[in-house]
Amino acid sequence: MEDKKEEKNLDQELELFYEQFHIDKEILAFAKETEKELKDRFDRIDKIAEYNQMKVIQAMQKNRVSDAHFTGTTGYGYNDIGRETLEQVYASIFHTESALVRPQITCGTHALNIALFGNLRPGDELLCPVGKPYDTLEEIIGIRSSNGSLKEYGITYRQVDLLSDGSFDYQGILKAINEKTKLVEIQRSKGYQTRKTFSVEQIGELISFIRGIKKDVIIMVDNCYGEFVETIEPTDVDADLCVGSLIKNPGGGLAPIGGYIVGKECYVENAAYRLTAPGLGKEVGATLNVNPSFFQGLFLAPQVVSGALKGAILAANLYEKQGFFVIPNGTEPRYDIIQAVTLGTKEGVIAFCKGIQAAAPVDSFAVPEPGYMPGYDSDVIMAAGAFIQGASIELSADAPIKPPYAVYFQGGLTYYHAKLGILMSLQEMKKAGLLNL
Ligand SMILES: *Cc1c(COP(=O)(O)O)cnc(C)c1O
């Protein structure tokens, strides 16, 4: 009895608090109802997080992580035991021979760049069997002409699009693989597209098909946004390399910079020779003072990813009920933390992003506007009030200003923050006359 009363009071107090954020009663009631319906799904996400938390702790224990690993090196960074141990921890988590986890990797694009340049040679061919890769890879590959692209070095490119139902075009892939095909790049997450994100199991099926055609081809997965969403990773289904950014999932919001490459030792070495220099490879690269945040961020990552996933699911359900097209839809399983919401208009996209920005702990007073971004082929609007610049494991939304005017929403270091962002985006949409509430 007493408990019930207390709970009721807390509910009311919370509502009053949301009102201070100018979220009106209709939106609150709408969100509360929807959140209740999601309880079972949220429970399942908690289980996955629990599993992955065990995986991370086990890897840290196995590699005997200790406080000696939290100091950093300077200069060349020879014998950086923190860096070396962290790389072993990553290798344990991903079940790979080797890992390269470095602050010198500036972003996800850079990590992919060194994995590609490190492992491809003039005359080789790169194959993307799942359609157009992430926007920033177009210039690396030379799909859009760019100084220093793989194309300039005589590395050719072939792409097989997905079939119209979103499935793999096995016939097309069979035809595309030839004697020059050296490396196959599979992008797990949809990125800035409206296709579906692949499950690790689906990626495994594609890999085994490709191996059946050409056994020794290097298979690399762009794992951005996918880490810790499932209990297995692409390296558990025979990918040779897995690549990602530390200011996304595996950095847990604490890594201030960095990228990772895990996989077969020889391929990881090749990437390291490209990152530093032939002959130097993994031996150099001072960590300065980042080791503690790399370890601690990795430790927190499963929990952080689970909060981001719950936020994405809440957003999908709320916007779907309001009649917007969302990918994934409200009930589909999740294979990354990105939620696409097609708002259909430039005004919708801007209102959504304004709401996300206004909910941020940092720069909440800023108003996002569309503008030019290097690497993208249209104006982009980005909402982020992040502790780490551009960290998209923190609550953020971005949208290229072009049809179908879809916004890509992701992250949230805590579910509560993600929820506040979604509520405020709804409020902005309502203010712009774009909701039925
Ligand atoms: C984020 C991302 C990248 C790399 O982007 P950066 O902004 O350079 O870190 C590459 N591929 C996918 C699918 C991504 O989501």
Side-chain angles (χ1 to χ4, degrees):
M1 191 66 196
E2 213 31 44
D3 276 4
K4 273 239 165 71
K5 204 166 131 203
E6 256 177 48
E7 201 162 289
K8 193 150 179 238
N9 284 340
L10 187 53
D11 269 350
Q12 281 167 347
E13 279 174 50
L14 195 50
E15 253 172 55
L16 286 173
F17 220 138
Y18 278 122
E19 279 169 27
Q20 291 179 32
F21 283 93
H22 307 294
I23 293 162
D24 62 32
K25 287 214 157 60
E26 290 76 22
I27 288 180
L28 279 179
F30 175 46
K32 194 170 175 182
E33 192 53 42
T34 305
E35 206 177 30
K36 254 193 220 147
E37 296 161 12
L38 296 172
K39 196 178 170 307
D40 287 348
R41 288 198 74 191
F42 283 11
D43 285 348
R44 182 167 158 74
I45 287 170
D46 287 337
K47 281 251 164 62
I48 294 173
E50 188 174 348
Y51 183 96
N52 284 325
Q53 184 73 77
M54 297 306 115
K55 203 198 284 190
V56 171
I57 293 174
Q58 187 182 56
M60 289 188 174
Q61 292 184 352
K62 181 179 156 209
N63 292 289
R64 303 177 63 85
V65 171
S66 108
D67 66 357
H69 300 133
F70 302 149
T71 56
T73 50
T74 56
Y76 293 113
Y78 291 134
N79 306 315
D80 188 316
I81 54 167
R83 181 189 72 210
E84 285 163 9
T85 304
L86 180 75
E87 288 179 338
Q88 283 163 6
V89 170
Y90 265 74
S92 295
I93 289 170
F94 285 89
H95 305 117
T96 57
E97 293 171 6
S98 182
L100 182 70
V101 187
R102 300 293 169 114
Q104 286 81 12
I105 300 178
T106 58
C107 59
T109 302
H110 187 199
L112 290 158
N113 185 69
I114 62 175
L116 290 170
F117 270 95
N119 285 290
L120 287 161
R121 298 290 179 270
D124 288 344
E125 188 161 277
L126 165 67
L127 171 68
C128 283
V130 298
K132 190 184 92 59
Y134 194 70
D135 275 14
T136 57
L137 261 76
E138 292 187 6
E139 284 176 282
I140 296 176
I141 297 168
I143 300 172
R144 272 185 287 142
S145 71
S146 189
N147 277 344
S149 67
L150 289 167
K151 191 176 172 188
E152 277 197 342
Y153 287 87
I155 293 152
T156 54
Y157 172 67
R158 216 176 266 258
Q159 176 178 315
V160 179
D161 289 335
L162 296 170
L163 296 174
S164 53
D165 65 355
S167 63
F168 303 129
D169 179 3
Y170 285 115
Q171 277 311 310
I173 295 167
L174 176 64
K175 273 194 225 137
I177 294 175
N178 59 66
E179 68 291 346
K180 285 171 61 181
T181 311
K182 171 77 170 294
L183 193 150
V184 177
E185 199 248 13
I186 301 170
Q187 184 178 311
R188 177 173 176 183
S189 164
K190 63 182 143 323
Y192 276 166
Q193 291 173 68
T194 41
R195 72 150 162 95
K196 285 190 163 76
T197 288
F198 306 120
S199 67
V200 172
E201 193 186 344
Q202 284 174 306
I203 289 173
E205 286 162 14
L206 179 57
I207 292 175
S208 83
F209 177 77
I210 292 167
R211 292 243 188 267
I213 303 166
K214 191 164 186 178
K215 194 167 180 303
D216 57 350
V217 73
I218 305 168
I219 299 179
M220 169 180 123
V221 175
D222 174 352
N223 205 27
C224 282
Y225 288 129
E227 299 90 351
F228 300 128
V229 172
E230 299 180 67
T231 54
I232 51 171
E233 299 290 341
T235 41
D236 293 316
V237 294
D238 204 23
D240 295 307
L241 286 169
C242 224
V243 181
S245 165
L246 296 197
I247 62 168
K248 293 179 179 172
N249 304 15
L254 295 186
I257 190 172
Y260 77 89
I261 298 172
V262 291
K264 292 231 169 78
E265 179 140 29
C266 53
Y267 304 139
V268 173
E269 280 293 304
N270 280 341
Y273 290 138
R274 183 73 196 191
L275 173 66
T276 63
L280 300 182
K282 291 175 76 177
E283 300 298 316
V284 295
T287 53
L288 307 175
N289 54 5
V290 300
N291 278 335
S293 52
F294 279 16
F295 277 106
Q296 202 173 357
L298 179 63
F299 174 72
L300 292 177
Q303 169 80 13
V304 170
V305 168
S306 75
L309 273 173
K310 289 177 190 171
I313 291 169
L314 180 66
N317 281 276
L318 291 171
Y319 275 91
E320 192 169 58
K321 283 186 185 173
Q322 282 294 311
F324 294 97
F325 181 64
V326 295
I327 300 181
N329 71 29
T331 52
E332 278 174 296
R334 298 273 152 170
Y335 304 121
D336 68 11
I337 64 167
I338 303 183
Q339 181 62 47
V341 183
T342 300
L343 296 160
T345 60
K346 183 175 171 182
E347 292 69 35
V349 161
I350 294 173
F352 187 101
C353 289
K354 266 189 183 168
I356 297 296
Q357 187 73 40
V362 181
D363 291 335
S364 61
F365 46 83
V367 181
E369 277 179 23
Y372 168 79
M373 277 284 298
Y376 297 92
D377 68 355
S378 69
D379 274 2
V380 178
I381 183 166
M382 296 192 162
F387 295 100
I388 308 290
Q389 187 196 93
S392 44
I393 186 60
E394 297 191 51
L395 186 65
S396 50
D398 27 55
I401 303 292
K402 61 182 180 188
Y405 297 101
V407 70
Y408 297 83
F409 158 92
Q410 67 267 311
L413 295 186
T414 70
Y415 168 66
Y416 313 110
H417 178 217
K419 178 177 169 183
L420 178 65
I422 297 157
L423 294 177
M424 292 186 85
S425 76
L426 286 168
Q427 191 71 49
E428 286 294 329
M429 291 286 290
K430 186 176 177 182
K431 218 161 79 186
L434 298 166
L435 288 191
N436 305 310
L437 264 177

